[in-house]
Amino acid sequence: MEQLVIRDADVVDGSGAPSYRADVVIDEGRIVSIVQEAAAAGCQRPKAQRELDAEGLVLSPGFIDMHAHSDLALLRDPDHSAKAAQGVTLEVLGQDGLSYAPVDDRTLAEVRRSITGWNGYGDDIDFDWRSVGEYLDRLDSGFEGRGIAVNAAYLIPQGTVRMLAVGWEDREATPQELDRMRQLVAEGMEQGAVGMSSGLTYTPGMYAKDAELTELCRVVASYDGYYCPHHRSYGAGALEAYEEMVALTREAGCPLHLAHATMNFGVNKGRAPELLTLLDEALASGADLTLDTYPYTPGCTTLVAMLPSWASEGGPESILKRLADDGTAERIRHHMEVVGADGCHGVPIEWDTIEISGVGTDSLADHVGRTVQQSADARGETPWTVARRLLLADRLGPTILQHVGHEENVRAIMRHPVHTGGSDGILQGSKPHPRAYGTFPQYLGRYVRELGVLSLEECVAHLTSRPAARLRLPDRGLVREGYRADLVLFDPATVAAGSTFADPRRLPTGIPHVLVDGRFVIEDGRRTDVLAGRAVRRTTRP
């Protein structure tokens, strides 16, 4: 007898088609049968060892977070309710060009320091891997071989690859270094990565010219992977930055997925239609193109990311030395406040938009929840004095919320047919961005039920089948017979993000059941002890 039957569910199957009522039968981690309108038809209803009454609930595929920063969190926290409770059954890691594989001993120490604000330094993690394949194996064998909370796919981080082959210098790669980077990308793809990411406002990845990126994208394309850039500007020059990535990937013959595809800062208010026209023209000319966004206006990153790229050359220790030198620090301030640093997307920084969301040093905790301007006003200091002190005292660790978005742009972009959902959720800090805990119920509750920006069926497609298609996953993202039973049951009348900017770690409401591989990771609204998640590897070969 089969394992489970979910009775009388309103199935929103992920395709965008209208919902239907059905019994759905699950066995050995897969959907084995779907019996539509079983009760009304009066037919013989399927039997199973366990039955779940889904009256009043929507059954959909599990949500796929196309932009996640859970690279260490999945190994640190077996509960991981931040994502499991949202209905997320698969996260895509290795984002923004910086993560923990492939590395050697030198670059591991450097990358740990450089993205402490994203993932913590990792003192509680045994970094017993160096290659992409070994990292994926570690996910599979997490928590004494039991696995991890949800599934995870991995993007090769181009900045980390450049760190290995070139270092932190702002220069073109030599032919030999470029060959080494090609080799590292090929090895990562062969070991199961789904593509490559870049962080082109983060060092050292931002030092790569388009020709170098194009060559690496050719390797990714040969494995049927995709390129996921955090491109060179989301502020001044944003449209030009999008055009650059479209042209680059067309030249390389590589599919493109635009990370957190927003139009931010005052210079881009109301300009989403220009971005959408650019995307439509690219698609009409044959581009293989998708994007992700989060349903909020503020962004989230690290304070050190705001610095000009020249101040970051050489890596974390070089940054700290420059900040400690009064003359160099004054040059940094001038570049940020007057010129507009490339780290701040070419826009002069507005300190009243930069809110400190987390620090790693207890003595600095009173800054959390305040903008840099507010902290400066309270101390009778300049904002740069406060920011510089935070960077030095916390050794580049502070995370920030950046309040520079526009609601009309958010709504317009999420309607686009190639849009998918990505939380960009940083789980570190005492006051993280609420998107880390709330992105997917925020889409369903606020933008579907309350605002009607998307229909329920269309929104679910954005969060399930479309990302699965980009990841080239043949058996996920739809409620179909033979597909994996990564599923969510939610109440469309009550589903909502519990997280707020004031209380960012509150879990969502209206999502009573979540299954990964046919096993309940959320049951009756509570996290079980099930660890059914595994690494999802790309298997295509050139």
Side-chain angles (χ1 to χ4, degrees), residues 4-220:
L4 172 68
V5 58
I6 301 173
R7 293 215 183 278
D8 295 321
D10 292 322
V11 178
V12 176
D13 68 4
S15 69
S19 64
Y20 60 87
R21 192 175 176 89
D23 293 349
V24 176
V25 184
I26 297 164
D27 193 39
E28 295 185 353
R30 294 189 179 270
I31 300 168
V32 295
S33 68
I34 301 171
V35 183
Q36 295 193 34
E37 296 291 345
C43 63
Q44 180 66 39
R45 304 190 69 173
K47 303 288 187 181
Q49 297 172 11
R50 179 179 174 185
E51 298 185 5
L52 175 64
D53 181 3
E55 183 71 37
L57 298 178
V58 166
L59 175 67
S60 83
F63 306 135
I64 297 176
D65 188 342
M66 286 294 287
H67 193 102
H69 287 284
S70 302
D71 306 50
L72 298 185
L74 280 165
L75 296 173
R76 173 183 292 129
D77 177 17
D79 182 86
H80 202 50
S81 287
K83 294 301 180 67
Q86 292 186 61
V88 172
T89 58
L90 172 60
E91 299 184 85
V92 185
L93 313 176
Q95 299 287 348
D96 295 326
L98 290 166
S99 191
Y100 305 95
V103 292
D104 58 17
D105 291 349
R106 171 185 63 84
T107 55
L108 176 60
E110 293 171 346
V111 78
R112 287 175 65 183
R113 173 60 55 78
S114 65
I115 55 175
T116 294
W118 293 357
N119 299 302
Y121 186 65
D123 288 332
D124 54 343
I125 301 293
D126 180 7
F127 289 90
D128 57 354
W129 67 86
R130 293 296 180 268
S131 71
V132 169
E134 288 169 348
Y135 174 70
L136 297 177
D137 289 343
R138 176 65 185 278
L139 294 174
D140 281 340
S141 62
F143 303 103
E144 299 179 349
R146 296 172 60 209
I148 50 179
V150 301
N151 297 310
Y154 190 74
L155 295 166
I156 302 164
Q158 171 260 330
T160 304
V161 167
R162 197 172 213 271
M163 207 182 300
L164 266 170
V166 181
W168 289 82
E169 293 78 25
D170 183 2
R171 63 172 175 81
E172 292 188 21
T174 67
Q176 294 78 15
E177 289 166 342
L178 183 56
D179 284 343
R180 175 63 174 148
M181 286 189 279
R182 288 193 193 98
Q183 178 187 3
L184 289 166
V185 171
E187 289 173 354
M189 295 299 296
E190 288 172 359
Q191 291 164 10
V194 296
M196 182 180 74
S197 75
S198 283
L200 300 179
T201 65
Y202 300 133
T203 53
M206 69 189 306
Y207 299 140
K209 301 291 191 277
D210 284 0
E212 177 181 315
L213 296 171
T214 300
E215 287 304 307
L216 300 184
C217 282
R218 293 187 198 280
V219 178
V220 172

Side-chain angles (χ1 to χ4, degrees), residues 254-425:
C254 185
L256 172 64
H257 180 85
L258 295 166
H260 37 58
T262 56
M263 292 288 287
N264 289 339
F265 301 90
V267 295
N268 289 317
K269 184 176 175 60
R271 297 188 69 189
E274 297 176 58
L275 170 60
L276 300 180
T277 297
L278 167 65
L279 300 181
D280 288 339
E281 290 175 351
L283 290 162
S285 66
D288 185 350
L289 169 66
T290 52
L291 58 90
D292 67 67
T293 70
Y294 47 83
Y296 298 87
T297 52
C300 179
T301 186
T302 58
L303 183 58
V304 68
M306 298 292 100
L307 302 184
S309 58
W310 61 262
S312 298
E313 186 177 4
E317 292 303 320
S318 296
I319 298 171
L320 290 167
K321 288 179 182 178
R322 293 187 181 102
L323 287 168
D325 178 79
D326 289 342
T328 308
E330 173 56 23
R331 286 182 58 212
I332 294 171
R333 181 206 65 78
H334 179 80
H335 212 102
M336 294 176 71
E337 295 184 351
V338 179
V339 178
D342 45 8
C344 195
H345 307 275
V347 177
I349 196 163
E350 297 173 327
W351 293 110
D352 59 351
T353 69
I354 306 296
E355 177 185 352
I356 302 301
S357 60
V359 293
T361 304
D362 291 343
S363 63
L364 304 174
D366 61 330
H367 291 276
V368 174
R370 294 181 174 185
T371 66
V372 173
Q373 186 69 58
Q374 288 170 333
S375 284
D377 291 344
R379 290 165 171 77
E381 298 176 332
T382 68
W384 172 241
T385 298
V386 172
R388 180 188 177 194
R389 182 187 304 122
L390 282 168
L391 288 166
L392 286 167
D394 206 36
R395 297 189 62 79
L396 313 181
T399 52
I400 62 169
L401 303 182
Q402 195 169 16
H403 296 271
V404 292
H406 307 287
E407 179 67 19
E408 67 272 28
N409 287 347
V410 170
R411 296 188 194 187
I413 294 168
M414 74 170 61
R415 293 189 184 102
H416 197 276
V418 300
H419 168 266
T420 68
S423 71
D424 196 11

